[in-house]
Amino acid sequence: QSQELSQVRIDYQAALQALVEDGTRMVCSGRMHTDRVCRFESLCYSTEAEEFVFFHSNSSIMLPNLGPRRFQPALLDLSSVDDHNTQYFNFIELPAAALKFMPKPVFVPDVALIMNRFNPDNLMHVFHDDLIPIFYTIQQFADLDFESRLFFMEGWNEGLHFELYKFMSNKQPLLKEQLKTLGRLLCFTKSYVGLSKITTWYQYGFVQPQGPKANILVSGNEIRHFAKFMMGKLNITKDQNAAEAYIVLFSRSMNRLIVNEAELLLALAQEFQMKTITVSLEDHSFADIVRLISNATMLVSMHGAQLITSLFLPKGAIVVELFPYGVNPEHYTPYKTLSTLPGMELQYVAWQNTEEENTIAYPNRPWEQGGIVHLDKTEQERIKKSKEVPRHLCCRNPEWLFRIYQDTKVNISSLIQVIKSKTKLGSRRQKWTQGLYPGKVRESKCQASAQGTGEAKLFVSWQIPWNLKFLKVRDVKYEVWIQEQGENSYMPYILSQQNYTFSENIKPLTTYLVWIRCIFNKTLLGPFAEVLVCNT
Ligand code: UDP
């Protein structure tokens, strides 16, 4: 099947002449290969060599010009996963004059976003590594939009969730394999290479055991904005005043099963007096799943990629993540981290099977489904006796796979007790006040007064932050630090008014540094104003 690139006709001769005369131009953002996205004009790709080509001419630009550091280890990451050595991008270089000896270039007129998907068959990876980063990379660069063309260069086939990727552009995304059908030398008129990592919240344990990223830069607001976009694409209109509260049990049909699912369903319905619905990726369309989850009061599921759908839950909803025997919930927190992002406003509870008699293990399965019979006998025995998988790196730790692919008979009373003790039904528990921070206090001044020989006073005053004039803030406080010049310690004060006379521990003939900042609602700390230097 041939891939129609665009209806836009381009003047071929002019484009070819521009390529030969101007060569490739590249300007990137980001200081390191791990945070870099590059914008190119006239970047080419040889489908025979499977290499990107940078053509040098008098007008070429290459910024950053890293010299050989471009290979240490790469110019940039093509996927949103940090520094993964299978995901590196680079180009090879040629003089533009070499075009004379090459196949006639085929020009790609669409603005291209060239990237790798990380694991397109796993729903969690689809959202976390690809869809959300694509969505926000498109928002980051002015000439990317939903008319841009996505190029997936990781080399996989469409994968199980290609329909979701199609929502990210009005044009058909193209796979690496399909590029061959377009021509031998493709030249992208305008392209962006790489994905923004600003929205990712989890690292999968390639260099240290998995966990939340060290410096999370995304809040629930952006995740929910993305969720709303996806729901639009799925034709789901959110039913704000849903008639009836209900619980969704997201089940897996192939592995990591809940063996007493029917019993659990009944128990949840009875305990919470709510309808309870089972869904699975095998039996429901993705749109139906999202439609159900987006109005649910509670989502219950085994740990697993399907839990990424918790990003569609309404605010205030409860996420219950179940863990098999031997798997410590604190060590595997992609969904906990998501649920507890500020502004997600979800209530998260983990439950773990702690009773060995309630677990069903599969030592005889293939290793990737948790089998261990390929290991030597003593190692098999050690794994079977172990009560908890020690922290480990990704991705083939046999003890981890053995435990995570167990089936579980859920101890229903212990589960219900955990849910009841850790959550509140029908509430938005920790209300996240949209973080509006105060500005600096203004016009701060100090005035010293001597009081005989041994004592002195310091009168300090300031004006409210400029943005407070336009805000209704429940609680406005000022924090003042008084530091004697040259000392490491300071005296802190919390004040409600805009001036104060300090007399405690104030000495005459001394220089004090005074730091002032405003605090909204006890927790929103503003910046310090420029330090005041006060001589008594
Ligand atoms: N999956 C599923 N039903 C199953 C097992 C897996 O729908 O019984 C889905 C799962 O949600 C994920 C993909 O298949 O999207 C791969 O599952 P895997 O167990 O490899 O990954 P995990 O869920 O542990 O991230």
Side-chain angles (χ1 to χ4, degrees):
Q1 139 210 10
S2 83
Q3 292 297 334
E4 198 58 38
L5 261 183
S6 173
Q7 316 311 326
V8 188
R9 292 188 60 108
I10 54 166
D11 180 342
Y12 186 83
Q13 284 311 322
L16 185 60
Q17 194 182 346
L19 173 61
V20 173
E21 284 172 13
D22 299 342
T24 307
R25 299 147 165 276
M26 174 189 95
V27 183
C28 307
S29 65
R31 299 170 60 86
M32 316 251 288
H33 73 280
T34 50
D35 63 3
R36 188 168 288 141
V37 175
C38 292
R39 179 184 189 277
F40 287 89
E41 288 169 30
S42 301
L43 174 68
C44 299
Y45 179 76
S46 162
T47 55
E48 291 161 334
E50 301 194 352
E51 296 269 17
F52 285 92
V53 188
F54 185 107
F55 284 107
H56 284 269
S57 81
N58 293 334
S59 314
S60 299
I61 300 172
M62 191 192 289
L63 269 180
N65 199 322
L66 293 165
R69 285 168 296 157
R70 183 156 77 75
F71 312 113
Q72 295 164 1
L75 180 62
L76 56 82
D77 294 332
L78 263 182
S79 81
S80 74
V81 174
D82 232 47
D83 196 31
H84 196 289
N85 61 12
T86 64
Q87 310 287 321
Y88 289 152
F89 170 86
N90 241 316
F91 46 73
I92 52 180
E93 293 165 277
L94 281 174
L99 279 161
K100 281 201 289 282
F101 310 107
M102 300 183 74
K104 280 188 76 179
V106 172
F107 290 96
V108 178
D110 315 310
V111 180
L113 175 56
I114 298 168
M115 49 154 287
N116 279 3
R117 297 176 298 167
F118 189 70
N119 186 351
D121 283 347
N122 180 300
L123 198 62
M124 190 278 175
H125 287 281
V126 170
F127 278 87
H128 178 268
D129 309 342
D130 306 338
L131 298 178
I132 303 174
I134 290 169
F135 184 74
Y136 282 106
T137 301
I138 289 173
Q139 314 239 347
Q140 183 172 354
F141 298 101
D143 35 26
L144 286 176
D145 56 27
F146 293 106
E147 297 305 318
S148 307
R149 175 89 65 175
L150 300 172
F151 289 83
F152 299 151
M153 298 306 295
E154 76 290 331
W156 289 45
N157 56 20
E158 288 191 346
L160 295 174
H161 304 287
F162 202 64
E163 291 305 311
L164 301 179
Y165 290 96
K166 283 193 191 165
F167 292 151
M168 309 312 294
S169 169
N170 297 331
K171 302 197 168 110
Q172 172 83 5
L174 295 179
L175 305 172
K176 182 179 175 187
E177 193 54 36
Q178 295 169 317
L179 302 185
K180 291 196 174 70
T181 67
L182 299 177
R184 294 159 72 196
L185 185 64
L186 302 183
C187 290
F188 300 93
T189 311
K190 196 185 281 180
S191 60
Y192 286 81
V193 180
L195 280 180
S196 165
K197 299 182 172 81
I198 199 159
T199 60
T200 58
W201 62 86
Y202 206 70
Q203 62 85 11
Y204 300 124
F206 297 109
V207 288
Q208 50 170 311
Q210 63 171 275
K213 285 209 320 190
N215 185 15
I216 294 177
L217 300 171
V218 68
S219 84
N221 176 56
E222 290 71 38
I223 302 294
R224 289 194 175 281
H225 182 66
F226 165 82
K228 205 167 146 193
F229 164 82
M230 288 299 280
M231 287 171 62
K233 292 288 179 185
L234 291 161
N235 273 325
I236 299 167
T237 43
K238 205 162 163 183
D239 187 0
Q240 291 292 358
N241 33 334
E244 208 185 348
Y246 57 89
I247 299 170
V248 173
L249 179 65
F250 206 142
S251 87
R252 296 172 57 112
S253 338
M254 264 114 74
N255 52 44
R256 207 176 301 153
L257 308 179
I258 300 168
V259 296
N260 55 340
E261 204 169 276
E263 188 193 353
L264 174 59
L265 210 62
L266 282 174
L268 289 169
Q270 195 153 54
E271 180 63 39
F272 298 103
Q273 289 296 303
M274 272 184 242
K275 198 164 86 181
T276 304
I277 306 163
T278 310
V279 300
S280 71
L281 289 173
E282 289 86 356
D283 299 332
H284 295 76
S285 72
F286 193 71
D288 284 344
I289 292 172
V290 172
R291 187 175 297 111
L292 285 167
I293 287 180
S294 67
N295 269 314
T297 301
M298 190 188 308
L299 175 63
V300 181
S301 177
M302 268 289 159
H303 172 80
Q306 67 286 346
L307 263 172
I308 193 66
T309 55
S310 57
L311 69 83
F312 295 105
L313 282 167
K315 287 186 177 180
I318 297 169
V319 179
V320 184
E321 183 172 12
L322 311 176
F323 289 83
Y325 180 80
V327 180
N328 185 336
E330 286 303 309
H331 297 176
Y332 309 95
T333 57
Y335 313 108
K336 177 185 182 182
T337 306
L338 169 63
S339 298
T340 55
L341 287 177
M344 272 314 281
E345 295 186 41
L346 294 173
Q347 308 182 56
Y348 175 87
V349 205
W351 174 89
Q352 184 190 2
N353 174 23
T354 53
E355 294 156 286
E356 199 170 1
E357 65 270 23
N358 285 346
T359 199
I360 301 114
Y362 294 94
N364 298 314
R365 285 187 178 170
W367 70 268
E368 69 275 14
Q369 294 166 41
I372 53 171
V373 286
H374 63 290
L375 302 172
D376 65 47
K377 276 277 178 307
T378 53
E379 181 63 359
Q380 291 184 35
E381 282 315 305
R382 185 193 67 73
I383 290 175
K384 283 182 180 163
K385 280 208 199 82
S386 164
K387 297 202 180 309
E388 181 175 312
V389 182
R391 283 206 194 255
H392 57 90
L393 296 181
C394 193
C395 312
R396 297 186 168 196
N397 181 294
E399 182 171 352
W400 152 249
L401 293 171
F402 176 70
R403 289 302 180 192
I404 197 61
Y405 281 110
Q406 294 170 116
D407 296 343
T408 303
K409 179 173 166 226
V410 174
N411 179 328
I412 288 169
S413 61
S414 94
L415 172 61
I416 283 175
Q417 203 222 319
V418 174
I419 300 174
K420 282 171 69 179
S421 67
K422 298 243 169 92
T423 65
K424 251 178 158 163
L425 272 180
S427 88
R428 297 191 181 178
R429 236 188 10 153
Q430 317 100 328
K431 180 108 180 77
W432 187 64
T433 34
Q434 176 78 35
L436 293 186
Y437 289 84
K440 289 177 187 171
V441 302
R442 294 152 72 85
E443 296 171 47
S444 52
K445 294 188 187 80
C446 61
Q447 212 179 335
S449 56
Q451 200 105 19
T453 43
E455 288 170 49
K457 284 184 179 177
L458 208 53
F459 175 77
V460 182
S461 66
W462 58 89
Q463 298 299 316
I464 62 168
W466 179 76
N467 62 345
L468 180 53
K469 283 193 284 194
F470 308 100
L471 296 170
K472 279 203 185 104
V473 182
R474 210 175 352 102
D475 178 84
V476 180
K477 291 256 166 29
Y478 298 94
E479 184 169 15
V480 182
W481 295 358
I482 306 216
Q483 179 186 25
E484 189 178 327
Q485 190 163 51
E487 299 292 320
N488 283 326
S489 61
Y490 57 86
M491 296 172 291
Y493 297 82
I494 298 279
L495 304 167
S496 304
Q497 69 277 30
Q498 284 154 246
N499 58 64
Y500 192 72
T501 304
F502 299 91
S503 51
E504 257 186 289
N505 298 316
I506 302 292
K507 297 181 283 190
L509 302 172
T510 308
T511 300
Y512 289 98
L513 304 181
V514 180
W515 309 83
I516 311 167
R517 69 174 164 193
C518 182
I519 303 176
F520 287 173
N521 299 334
K522 302 212 167 18
T523 54
L524 299 163
L525 308 178
F528 281 104
E530 206 166 313
V531 63
L532 273 182
V533 181
C534 312
N535 296 304
T536 54

